[in-house]
Amino acid sequence: MSSVVTTSHQRFFFSTLFVVLVLGALQGLLCPAQAQAQQQQEVSAAVEQAAQRAFHGSDLEGKDGPLSKLDPALIQLYYRARKTGRAAGGAQTHAAVRGGAVVIDALAAEDASALLTDLEDLGLQQGAVAGPLVSGRLPVERLEEAAQLASLRSARATVARVSVGQATSQGVKAMNADDARDVHGVDGSGVTVGVLSDSYDQDESAETDATEDMNNGDLPDQVNVLDDNDADGSDEGRAMMQLIYDTAPGTDFAFHSASSVGRAGFAQGIRELANNAGATVIVDDVLNLAEPMFQDGQVAQAVDDVVQNDSVAYFSSAGNASDQSYESGFRDSGQNGPLDGGTLHDFDSSGGTDTRQRVSLAQGNTLQLSFQWDQPFASTGPGSESDLDIFIADKNGDTLAAATVDNNGNDRRSGDESDPVEVLTFVNDGSVDADNDGTADTQFQLGIELQSGPQPGLMKYVRFGSATVEEYGTNSATLFGHANADSAEAIGAAYYDDTPEFGTSPPVLEGFSAEGGTPILFNPDGTRKSSQEVRQKPELVAPDGTNNTFFGSDFDNDGSPNFFGTSAAAPHAAGVAALFREARPSSAPETIYAELERTATDMNNPYSSNRTATENGTDCSGQFDFGTGCGLVNAEETALPVTLAGGGLRGALDERDDASAVVLTWTTLSETGNDHFRILQKHDEGFAQVGTEPTQAEGGASSRPLDYRHRVGGLAPGTHVFRLVQVDADGDEQLVGETRVEVGFEGSYQLTAAHPNPFRKRAETRLTVRRAQHVTAALYDASGRRVRTLHDGPLPGGASERFAVTADALSSGVYVLRVSGETFSATRTLTLVR
């Protein structure tokens, strides 16, 4: 492969090189199709020329043109709309355009609220703010005005991917979730699961809509839709809900679009699901390709926020890029590049020099890259010091086919710093023919060019689509963005038929499931960490490819379409978390994560990575790897702190106590991390603790049945309600049982024993009489002297009266409470201890 650049002075811009064909004189001789093609080429050439001047300036050098605050995709979009009267993203751009508006992520020069106001004055819709980042839909025709705003530092077209793959799953059985529901008696009731994806009910071509799914029982009767504005969405969010609903059919749902609202809107949607919709489990399957690789960006920070402050268990698809990543430090080749005369990266680490990396891409297929380097993001910190570009040339490396040349760093002319990211989209549409033999190229050359600033110590691109790297591949980690957030649980995928419940053991990871290990080099504020942090990601694997009513194709020929990818795996794991949430509503997210990880089924790692984690973020250190995490979710093995026998909490009168006491009994079938039980009794003001029982399990853990008994005495006639609360070793509590007991009495009255006795501040007893009568209750000291009258008056039949003795003005000693009526007389002895 040639390392010589033969087009070093050739100017190239944006995503596609457009060739100007000077055929005006022949236009009348062309057929209509040829004339139309020629016209399109002329439009493209005119757009290209105008866009270059707007970005580079009139001298076509540097990146200091009047629209250089905008990324090239936005500038090209603007001039194409001006030329044709139509705003639409081309095949070689990644701009999300609808209704004449484009979704942008804009960086504020200083004050994000001021930028939001300025953009709203230009027609911005669905505006959202996260730190210095402002996102929303801006009319394409106002892009030029936006570029002139003093409040704007830079803006780019947002680009997001949902993690759809090529596989399928019957996940409920594969995770043993049906058995877990039976064993623990849960279905997710009382739990709201928030879902973030492209859309919920927008795809008019879908075989079913949301109403039909509700009527057919595939969704609950109501879904709280906070935002569903992606009219181009595929309703993947609704398909995700169906998988959750199959796993945990008692759950409630809330939805917020994440693919069409930019990074700030994504972050805002996460917080709205937690704070406005009350979601305690959230799941998403969207990756914005401009999210930071080496730093926690605005979306990742929103995940950490709701997990740490709102106790939300957050699940995110790990992604479907397998190990399709290249990473390296920048090596100076000593050669200038074709884009802006910058320095080319040398891919050959063996001592030679090669400024191109050969990749193959079949005609009609797409290559998309997120390319980043180890400098902080301006949207979360000080911004990039360097400006790098990435390009695709033909198979000989001579003619450019695609490039992205955002103004990233402290450019020698503009002086503005931005985010260290370039997103390249290239469609092999058959127009590249290096040999001019009528055969479209399927091999291309990739290059990286440093325009300004220091050489990065680490560069990385993650590759999406169907391209293959033919040389210098590093097969590195591809999991990045908010799925790599410390508080998120990243989920890989295994085809359901490749799991133990379907005859395959150990389970097999999907070939596309993302590999973890992307290092975090910067703190959220952009300061560099003293040492890199490699988080244990993904944590878990869940099945993909389950049946649903409309999404995907019928892969297994059973009449229902199958949903593939980590987009399908993540909602399955979230469904199991909903079951756990119902059983242990007060559990911290970390407790849920740890239990799912501890009980996961171990898998074999298909990747050869030798990366090591610097934090023990999982509870399966002996079996963790960067391909499969802790393994496949196994809901049946996920243990609650205690599992009660079928009778639950039982209560019966204590016959040895004249029917004024109740004996509560319960049996645990298993215990894990249990510390003790609390017994609560309902009173007029609510439930109050009346006793405790320590665990009988050694170390708080047992796999054999254990019987418990607790007596509550001094009860008045009537209905008494008791609750049993289990307390973990870490202090978490869960309600595990409730029972009601009727307490009656024989004879003409019942006077309960004083409680507590002895007492320090206050003791109580309760009197119930069968028929109405006058009652007197008085307290006497040891010498027989009356010291207090507690009651002297009528008492209705069947009613209970509480007599309270307080220690006020009394000295330590023995006292007698004498209660008498027309049909009875009784005494109770009390001891005051000061």
Side-chain angles (χ1 to χ4, degrees), residues 403-427:
T404 175
V405 293
D406 289 358
N407 193 359
N408 307 103
N410 197 344
D411 183 77
R412 58 180 178 266
R413 289 174 174 80
S414 71
D416 285 330
E417 294 176 342
S418 188
D419 292 342
V421 57
E422 296 275 2
V423 177
L424 175 109
T425 302
F426 171 59
V427 178

Side-chain angles (χ1 to χ4, degrees), residues 97-135:
V97 182
R98 188 179 81 240
V102 59
V103 181
I104 64 169
D105 287 326
L107 277 173
E110 293 182 359
D111 184 357
S113 60
L115 175 59
L116 176 63
T117 299
D118 288 346
L119 290 174
E120 287 178 336
D121 289 342
L122 296 180
L124 185 79
Q125 299 294 320
Q126 298 174 248
V129 174
L133 190 66
V134 177
S135 300

Side-chain angles (χ1 to χ4, degrees), residues 749-755 757 759 763-767 775-782 784-791 801-806 814-820 824-831:
Y749 78 100
Q750 183 183 70
L751 181 65
T752 65
H755 179 78
N757 193 19
F759 72 102
E764 289 185 357
T765 186
R766 185 181 291 270
L767 171 69
V775 172
T776 300
L779 185 68
Y780 299 83
D781 62 16
R785 180 172 61 90
R786 179 184 289 201
V787 295
R788 191 170 297 170
T789 299
L790 304 179
H791 182 87
E801 181 72 15
R802 181 185 302 166
F803 302 138
V805 178
T806 62
V814 176
Y815 295 85
V816 175
L817 174 65
R818 179 174 294 121
V819 182
S820 59
F824 73 97
S825 179
T827 60
R828 293 291 184 265
T829 301
L830 299 87
T831 302

